[in-house]
Amino acid sequence: TRYGQQSNAEYLVKVGKCTLLHLLSLCPLLCGMIYNIVTVLGMDYDALVTSAIRGFAVPDSGTGTQADAQRALIEQIRKRPCSALLSLIRRRISLDNETSSVVKARIKRCELLTKQISKLCGKSVRIPRGVRGSRHRYWLYPIVVENPERVSRIMLHYGFDVPS
């Protein structure tokens, strides 16, 4: 076929990586330890976290042109899902009624948080809005602040890993 297919092994690696990241995120003490180790080693913690959570590998810009990097990314995006992922998607769709109540509860919590941030922080924190006609599902909760590095450090102190 025209497009390659993701193997079950590739999918298993992604599931394993996500599981590990999720387990790490449950322990603020461990996140703080990793942050300190990475900092002592002279590495950029935000860059490490960002590269770990990317859905697709970003090709090294030193090995080719920008066009080569774009072609490699498109090839990754166009891969057909493996049978294990298709099974998961089928299961999630069949459980849509349960899923929708969880999503509705998350949206309600995030809308409350948005109101509280606006009330407490005023104009010092801006919450980006989607394009006209789009609906925010709050998979991510972006905010814009004047000093993202400072906010990231403060949030990390309170147990929240917030890359700047």
Side-chain angles (χ1 to χ4, degrees), residues 78-125:
R78 286 184 173 164
K79 275 190 176 179
R80 293 175 295 131
C82 65
S83 59
L85 179 54
L86 288 173
S87 294
L88 174 65
I89 292 169
R90 182 172 182 252
R91 183 175 150 266
R92 293 293 301 265
I93 290 171
S94 70
L95 298 174
D96 187 50
N97 289 338
E98 292 176 34
T99 304
S100 67
S101 64
V102 171
V103 171
K104 286 177 187 172
R106 182 180 59 240
I107 290 171
K108 192 173 187 174
R109 283 192 315 271
C110 289
E111 287 173 345
L112 177 62
L113 178 63
T114 300
K115 288 177 186 174
Q116 290 174 338
I117 288 173
S118 296
K119 181 179 175 184
L120 294 172
C121 301
K123 302 232 185 260
S124 64
V125 175

Short mmCIF file of all heavy atoms in Angstrom, two decimals, residues 78-125:
data_model
loop_
_atom_site.label_atom_id
_atom_site.label_comp_id
_atom_site.label_asym_id
_atom_site.label_seq_id
_atom_site.Cartn_x
_atom_site.Cartn_y
_atom_site.Cartn_z
N ARG A 78 1.30 9.67 8.47
CA ARG A 78 0.47 8.90 7.54
C ARG A 78 0.48 7.40 7.81
O ARG A 78 -0.22 6.66 7.12
CB ARG A 78 0.94 9.16 6.11
CG ARG A 78 0.53 10.53 5.63
CD ARG A 78 0.90 10.73 4.19
NE ARG A 78 0.36 11.97 3.69
CZ ARG A 78 0.75 12.57 2.59
NH1 ARG A 78 1.72 12.02 1.86
NH2 ARG A 78 0.22 13.69 2.20
N LYS A 79 1.25 6.94 8.76
CA LYS A 79 1.26 5.50 9.05
C LYS A 79 -0.13 5.04 9.46
O LYS A 79 -0.82 5.69 10.23
CB LYS A 79 2.24 5.18 10.20
CG LYS A 79 3.65 4.99 9.75
CD LYS A 79 4.48 4.46 10.90
CE LYS A 79 5.88 4.16 10.44
NZ LYS A 79 6.71 3.68 11.53
N ARG A 80 -0.51 3.88 8.94
CA ARG A 80 -1.79 3.30 9.32
C ARG A 80 -1.66 2.68 10.71
O ARG A 80 -0.62 2.13 11.05
CB ARG A 80 -2.20 2.22 8.31
CG ARG A 80 -2.52 2.82 6.94
CD ARG A 80 -2.83 1.76 5.89
NE ARG A 80 -1.63 0.95 5.65
CZ ARG A 80 -1.61 -0.38 5.64
NH1 ARG A 80 -2.71 -1.06 5.82
NH2 ARG A 80 -0.50 -1.04 5.42
N PRO A 81 -2.69 2.77 11.53
CA PRO A 81 -2.61 2.24 12.89
C PRO A 81 -2.51 0.71 12.90
O PRO A 81 -3.06 0.04 12.03
CB PRO A 81 -3.90 2.71 13.56
CG PRO A 81 -4.81 3.06 12.45
CD PRO A 81 -3.98 3.40 11.25
N CYS A 82 -1.83 0.17 13.91
CA CYS A 82 -1.68 -1.28 14.05
C CYS A 82 -3.00 -1.88 14.56
O CYS A 82 -3.90 -1.17 14.99
CB CYS A 82 -0.54 -1.60 15.01
SG CYS A 82 -0.85 -1.05 16.70
N SER A 83 -3.08 -3.19 14.54
CA SER A 83 -4.32 -3.87 14.95
C SER A 83 -4.64 -3.61 16.43
O SER A 83 -5.80 -3.48 16.79
CB SER A 83 -4.21 -5.37 14.67
OG SER A 83 -3.12 -5.93 15.38
N ALA A 84 -3.62 -3.52 17.28
CA ALA A 84 -3.87 -3.28 18.71
C ALA A 84 -4.51 -1.90 18.92
O ALA A 84 -5.44 -1.75 19.71
CB ALA A 84 -2.56 -3.39 19.49
N LEU A 85 -4.03 -0.90 18.21
CA LEU A 85 -4.59 0.45 18.33
C LEU A 85 -6.01 0.48 17.76
O LEU A 85 -6.90 1.11 18.35
CB LEU A 85 -3.70 1.47 17.62
CG LEU A 85 -4.18 2.93 17.65
CD1 LEU A 85 -4.45 3.41 19.07
CD2 LEU A 85 -3.15 3.82 16.97
N LEU A 86 -6.24 -0.19 16.65
CA LEU A 86 -7.59 -0.24 16.09
C LEU A 86 -8.56 -0.90 17.07
O LEU A 86 -9.71 -0.46 17.21
CB LEU A 86 -7.58 -0.98 14.75
CG LEU A 86 -6.93 -0.23 13.59
CD1 LEU A 86 -6.83 -1.15 12.37
CD2 LEU A 86 -7.71 1.03 13.25
N SER A 87 -8.12 -1.94 17.77
CA SER A 87 -8.96 -2.60 18.77
C SER A 87 -9.31 -1.65 19.91
O SER A 87 -10.44 -1.61 20.39
CB SER A 87 -8.26 -3.84 19.34
OG SER A 87 -8.11 -4.81 18.36
N LEU A 88 -8.32 -0.87 20.34
CA LEU A 88 -8.56 0.10 21.41
C LEU A 88 -9.56 1.16 20.96
O LEU A 88 -10.48 1.51 21.69
CB LEU A 88 -7.25 0.76 21.84
CG LEU A 88 -7.38 1.89 22.85
CD1 LEU A 88 -7.91 1.36 24.18
CD2 LEU A 88 -6.05 2.59 23.04
N ILE A 89 -9.38 1.67 19.75
CA ILE A 89 -10.30 2.69 19.23
C ILE A 89 -11.73 2.14 19.17
O ILE A 89 -12.69 2.80 19.57
CB ILE A 89 -9.84 3.18 17.84
CG1 ILE A 89 -8.53 3.98 17.97
CG2 ILE A 89 -10.92 4.04 17.17
CD1 ILE A 89 -7.86 4.27 16.65
N ARG A 90 -11.85 0.91 18.70
CA ARG A 90 -13.17 0.27 18.61
C ARG A 90 -13.81 0.18 19.99
O ARG A 90 -14.99 0.48 20.18
CB ARG A 90 -13.05 -1.11 17.98
CG ARG A 90 -14.37 -1.81 17.81
CD ARG A 90 -14.18 -3.09 17.00
NE ARG A 90 -15.43 -3.73 16.81
CZ ARG A 90 -15.78 -4.87 17.43
NH1 ARG A 90 -14.94 -5.46 18.26
NH2 ARG A 90 -16.95 -5.40 17.21
N ARG A 91 -13.02 -0.24 20.98
CA ARG A 91 -13.52 -0.36 22.35
C ARG A 91 -13.94 1.00 22.89
O ARG A 91 -14.99 1.14 23.52
CB ARG A 91 -12.46 -0.99 23.24
CG ARG A 91 -12.91 -1.22 24.65
CD ARG A 91 -11.82 -1.95 25.45
NE ARG A 91 -11.93 -1.56 26.82
CZ ARG A 91 -11.26 -0.58 27.40
NH1 ARG A 91 -10.36 0.10 26.72
NH2 ARG A 91 -11.43 -0.28 28.66
N ARG A 92 -13.11 2.03 22.67
CA ARG A 92 -13.43 3.37 23.19
C ARG A 92 -14.71 3.91 22.56
O ARG A 92 -15.53 4.54 23.24
CB ARG A 92 -12.27 4.33 22.92
CG ARG A 92 -11.00 4.04 23.68
CD ARG A 92 -11.14 4.23 25.17
NE ARG A 92 -11.53 5.55 25.56
CZ ARG A 92 -10.71 6.53 25.92
NH1 ARG A 92 -9.42 6.31 25.96
NH2 ARG A 92 -11.17 7.70 26.27
N ILE A 93 -14.90 3.68 21.27
CA ILE A 93 -16.11 4.14 20.61
C ILE A 93 -17.33 3.42 21.16
O ILE A 93 -18.38 4.02 21.38
CB ILE A 93 -15.99 3.98 19.07
CG1 ILE A 93 -14.97 4.98 18.53
CG2 ILE A 93 -17.35 4.15 18.40
CD1 ILE A 93 -14.62 4.78 17.08
N SER A 94 -17.18 2.12 21.44
CA SER A 94 -18.32 1.35 21.96
C SER A 94 -18.69 1.79 23.38
O SER A 94 -19.81 1.59 23.82
CB SER A 94 -18.02 -0.15 21.93
OG SER A 94 -17.05 -0.49 22.89
N LEU A 95 -17.75 2.41 24.11
CA LEU A 95 -18.01 2.89 25.47
C LEU A 95 -18.29 4.39 25.48
O LEU A 95 -18.09 5.05 26.50
CB LEU A 95 -16.81 2.58 26.37
CG LEU A 95 -16.46 1.11 26.56
CD1 LEU A 95 -15.17 0.96 27.35
CD2 LEU A 95 -17.60 0.38 27.25
N ASP A 96 -18.75 4.93 24.37
CA ASP A 96 -18.90 6.38 24.22
C ASP A 96 -19.76 7.02 25.30
O ASP A 96 -19.46 8.11 25.76
CB ASP A 96 -19.46 6.71 22.84
CG ASP A 96 -19.47 8.20 22.58
OD1 ASP A 96 -18.42 8.83 22.80
OD2 ASP A 96 -20.53 8.73 22.20
N ASN A 97 -20.83 6.36 25.74
CA ASN A 97 -21.69 6.96 26.76
C ASN A 97 -20.93 7.20 28.05
O ASN A 97 -21.07 8.24 28.69
CB ASN A 97 -22.92 6.09 27.02
CG ASN A 97 -23.90 6.13 25.86
OD1 ASN A 97 -23.88 7.06 25.07
ND2 ASN A 97 -24.72 5.10 25.76
N GLU A 98 -20.11 6.22 28.47
CA GLU A 98 -19.31 6.38 29.68
C GLU A 98 -18.26 7.48 29.48
O GLU A 98 -18.04 8.30 30.36
CB GLU A 98 -18.61 5.07 30.04
CG GLU A 98 -19.55 3.98 30.49
CD GLU A 98 -18.81 2.67 30.73
OE1 GLU A 98 -17.65 2.71 31.18
OE2 GLU A 98 -19.41 1.62 30.48
N THR A 99 -17.61 7.46 28.32
CA THR A 99 -16.56 8.43 28.03
C THR A 99 -17.11 9.84 28.03
O THR A 99 -16.49 10.76 28.56
CB THR A 99 -15.90 8.11 26.67
OG1 THR A 99 -15.42 6.78 26.70
CG2 THR A 99 -14.75 9.05 26.39
N SER A 100 -18.29 10.04 27.45
CA SER A 100 -18.84 11.39 27.34
C SER A 100 -19.13 11.98 28.71
O SER A 100 -18.95 13.18 28.91
CB SER A 100 -20.09 11.41 26.46
OG SER A 100 -21.14 10.71 27.08
N SER A 101 -19.53 11.18 29.70
CA SER A 101 -19.79 11.73 31.03
C SER A 101 -18.48 12.16 31.69
O SER A 101 -18.44 13.17 32.40
CB SER A 101 -20.54 10.73 31.91
OG SER A 101 -19.74 9.59 32.14
N VAL A 102 -17.40 11.43 31.45
CA VAL A 102 -16.09 11.81 31.99
C VAL A 102 -15.62 13.11 31.35
O VAL A 102 -15.12 14.01 32.03
CB VAL A 102 -15.06 10.67 31.75
CG1 VAL A 102 -13.66 11.11 32.11
CG2 VAL A 102 -15.45 9.43 32.54
N VAL A 103 -15.79 13.22 30.03
CA VAL A 103 -15.39 14.44 29.33
C VAL A 103 -16.21 15.63 29.82
O VAL A 103 -15.67 16.70 30.08
CB VAL A 103 -15.53 14.26 27.79
CG1 VAL A 103 -15.33 15.58 27.07
CG2 VAL A 103 -14.55 13.22 27.29
N LYS A 104 -17.51 15.44 29.99
CA LYS A 104 -18.36 16.53 30.48
C LYS A 104 -17.93 16.99 31.87
O LYS A 104 -17.89 18.19 32.15
CB LYS A 104 -19.83 16.10 30.50
CG LYS A 104 -20.45 16.02 29.12
CD LYS A 104 -21.87 15.51 29.19
CE LYS A 104 -22.41 15.29 27.79
NZ LYS A 104 -23.71 14.62 27.80
N ALA A 105 -17.58 16.05 32.74
CA ALA A 105 -17.13 16.40 34.09
C ALA A 105 -15.81 17.18 34.02
O ALA A 105 -15.62 18.15 34.76
CB ALA A 105 -16.97 15.15 34.94
N ARG A 106 -14.88 16.76 33.14
CA ARG A 106 -13.60 17.46 32.99
C ARG A 106 -13.83 18.87 32.47
O ARG A 106 -13.23 19.83 32.97
CB ARG A 106 -12.67 16.70 32.05
CG ARG A 106 -11.30 17.38 31.91
CD ARG A 106 -10.35 16.67 30.98
NE ARG A 106 -10.89 16.57 29.65
CZ ARG A 106 -11.12 15.42 29.02
NH1 ARG A 106 -10.87 14.28 29.58
NH2 ARG A 106 -11.61 15.43 27.79
N ILE A 107 -14.70 19.03 31.49
CA ILE A 107 -14.99 20.36 30.93
C ILE A 107 -15.57 21.26 32.02
O ILE A 107 -15.17 22.42 32.15
CB ILE A 107 -15.94 20.25 29.72
CG1 ILE A 107 -15.20 19.61 28.54
CG2 ILE A 107 -16.52 21.61 29.33
CD1 ILE A 107 -16.08 19.27 27.36
N LYS A 108 -16.47 20.73 32.84
CA LYS A 108 -17.07 21.52 33.90
C LYS A 108 -16.01 21.97 34.91
O LYS A 108 -15.99 23.14 35.31
CB LYS A 108 -18.15 20.69 34.61
CG LYS A 108 -19.03 21.46 35.53
CD LYS A 108 -20.17 20.58 36.04
CE LYS A 108 -21.15 21.41 36.82
NZ LYS A 108 -22.32 20.65 37.20
N ARG A 109 -15.09 21.06 35.31
CA ARG A 109 -14.02 21.43 36.24
C ARG A 109 -13.11 22.50 35.64
O ARG A 109 -12.72 23.45 36.32
CB ARG A 109 -13.17 20.19 36.60
CG ARG A 109 -13.81 19.25 37.58
CD ARG A 109 -12.81 18.23 38.11
NE ARG A 109 -11.97 17.62 37.11
CZ ARG A 109 -12.25 16.53 36.41
NH1 ARG A 109 -13.40 15.90 36.61
NH2 ARG A 109 -11.40 16.03 35.54
N CYS A 110 -12.78 22.34 34.37
CA CYS A 110 -11.88 23.30 33.72
C CYS A 110 -12.54 24.65 33.51
O CYS A 110 -11.88 25.69 33.62
CB CYS A 110 -11.36 22.73 32.40
SG CYS A 110 -10.18 21.38 32.65
N GLU A 111 -13.82 24.67 33.22
CA GLU A 111 -14.52 25.95 33.09
C GLU A 111 -14.57 26.67 34.43
O GLU A 111 -14.41 27.90 34.50
CB GLU A 111 -15.93 25.74 32.52
CG GLU A 111 -15.90 25.40 31.04
CD GLU A 111 -17.25 25.01 30.47
OE1 GLU A 111 -18.20 24.73 31.25
OE2 GLU A 111 -17.36 24.98 29.23
N LEU A 112 -14.74 25.92 35.53
CA LEU A 112 -14.69 26.51 36.86
C LEU A 112 -13.29 27.07 37.14
O LEU A 112 -13.15 28.18 37.64
CB LEU A 112 -15.07 25.47 37.92
CG LEU A 112 -15.01 25.93 39.37
CD1 LEU A 112 -15.98 27.08 39.63
CD2 LEU A 112 -15.33 24.76 40.30
N LEU A 113 -12.26 26.30 36.79
CA LEU A 113 -10.89 26.76 36.96
C LEU A 113 -10.63 28.03 36.17
O LEU A 113 -10.00 28.97 36.66
CB LEU A 113 -9.90 25.66 36.55
CG LEU A 113 -8.42 26.02 36.63
CD1 LEU A 113 -8.01 26.33 38.06
CD2 LEU A 113 -7.58 24.89 36.05
N THR A 114 -11.14 28.08 34.94
CA THR A 114 -10.98 29.26 34.09
C THR A 114 -11.59 30.49 34.77
O THR A 114 -10.96 31.56 34.81
CB THR A 114 -11.63 29.03 32.71
OG1 THR A 114 -11.00 27.92 32.09
CG2 THR A 114 -11.52 30.25 31.82
N LYS A 115 -12.77 30.35 35.33
CA LYS A 115 -13.42 31.47 36.02
C LYS A 115 -12.60 31.90 37.25
O LYS A 115 -12.43 33.09 37.50
CB LYS A 115 -14.84 31.09 36.45
CG LYS A 115 -15.81 30.99 35.30
CD LYS A 115 -17.17 30.54 35.77
CE LYS A 115 -18.08 30.30 34.58
NZ LYS A 115 -19.38 29.73 34.97
N GLN A 116 -12.08 30.92 37.99
CA GLN A 116 -11.29 31.25 39.18
C GLN A 116 -9.99 31.95 38.81
O GLN A 116 -9.59 32.91 39.47
CB GLN A 116 -11.00 29.98 40.00
CG GLN A 116 -12.24 29.44 40.67
CD GLN A 116 -11.97 28.11 41.36
OE1 GLN A 116 -11.04 27.39 41.04
NE2 GLN A 116 -12.82 27.79 42.33
N ILE A 117 -9.32 31.48 37.76
CA ILE A 117 -8.08 32.13 37.32
C ILE A 117 -8.37 33.56 36.89
O ILE A 117 -7.65 34.48 37.26
CB ILE A 117 -7.42 31.33 36.18
CG1 ILE A 117 -6.81 30.04 36.72
CG2 ILE A 117 -6.35 32.16 35.47
CD1 ILE A 117 -6.26 29.10 35.65
N SER A 118 -9.43 33.76 36.12
CA SER A 118 -9.78 35.11 35.67
C SER A 118 -10.09 36.01 36.86
O SER A 118 -9.68 37.18 36.89
CB SER A 118 -10.98 35.06 34.74
OG SER A 118 -10.65 34.35 33.57
N LYS A 119 -10.79 35.48 37.84
CA LYS A 119 -11.18 36.26 39.02
C LYS A 119 -9.96 36.61 39.88
O LYS A 119 -9.79 37.75 40.30
CB LYS A 119 -12.20 35.47 39.84
CG LYS A 119 -12.70 36.19 41.07
CD LYS A 119 -13.71 35.33 41.80
CE LYS A 119 -14.16 35.97 43.10
NZ LYS A 119 -15.07 35.09 43.85
N LEU A 120 -9.09 35.64 40.11
CA LEU A 120 -7.96 35.85 41.02
C LEU A 120 -6.77 36.56 40.36
O LEU A 120 -6.07 37.32 41.02
CB LEU A 120 -7.48 34.50 41.58
CG LEU A 120 -8.46 33.79 42.51
CD1 LEU A 120 -7.96 32.39 42.83
CD2 LEU A 120 -8.68 34.59 43.78
N CYS A 121 -6.55 36.28 39.08
CA CYS A 121 -5.33 36.79 38.43
C CYS A 121 -5.57 37.97 37.51
O CYS A 121 -4.62 38.62 37.08
CB CYS A 121 -4.66 35.66 37.64
SG CYS A 121 -4.22 34.25 38.68
N GLY A 122 -6.81 38.22 37.17
CA GLY A 122 -7.11 39.33 36.28
C GLY A 122 -6.41 39.20 34.95
O GLY A 122 -6.42 38.15 34.32
N LYS A 123 -5.74 40.27 34.53
CA LYS A 123 -5.11 40.29 33.22
C LYS A 123 -3.69 39.73 33.22
O LYS A 123 -3.06 39.64 32.19
CB LYS A 123 -5.09 41.72 32.69
CG LYS A 123 -6.47 42.34 32.59
CD LYS A 123 -6.69 42.89 31.22
CE LYS A 123 -8.01 43.61 31.14
NZ LYS A 123 -9.04 42.85 30.54
N SER A 124 -3.16 39.34 34.42
CA SER A 124 -1.79 38.84 34.45
C SER A 124 -1.67 37.43 33.87
O SER A 124 -0.58 36.99 33.52
CB SER A 124 -1.24 38.86 35.88
OG SER A 124 -1.96 37.98 36.70
N VAL A 125 -2.79 36.71 33.79
CA VAL A 125 -2.79 35.38 33.16
C VAL A 125 -3.85 35.39 32.08
O VAL A 125 -4.99 35.76 32.31
CB VAL A 125 -3.12 34.27 34.19
CG1 VAL A 125 -3.24 32.93 33.51
CG2 VAL A 125 -2.06 34.22 35.28
#
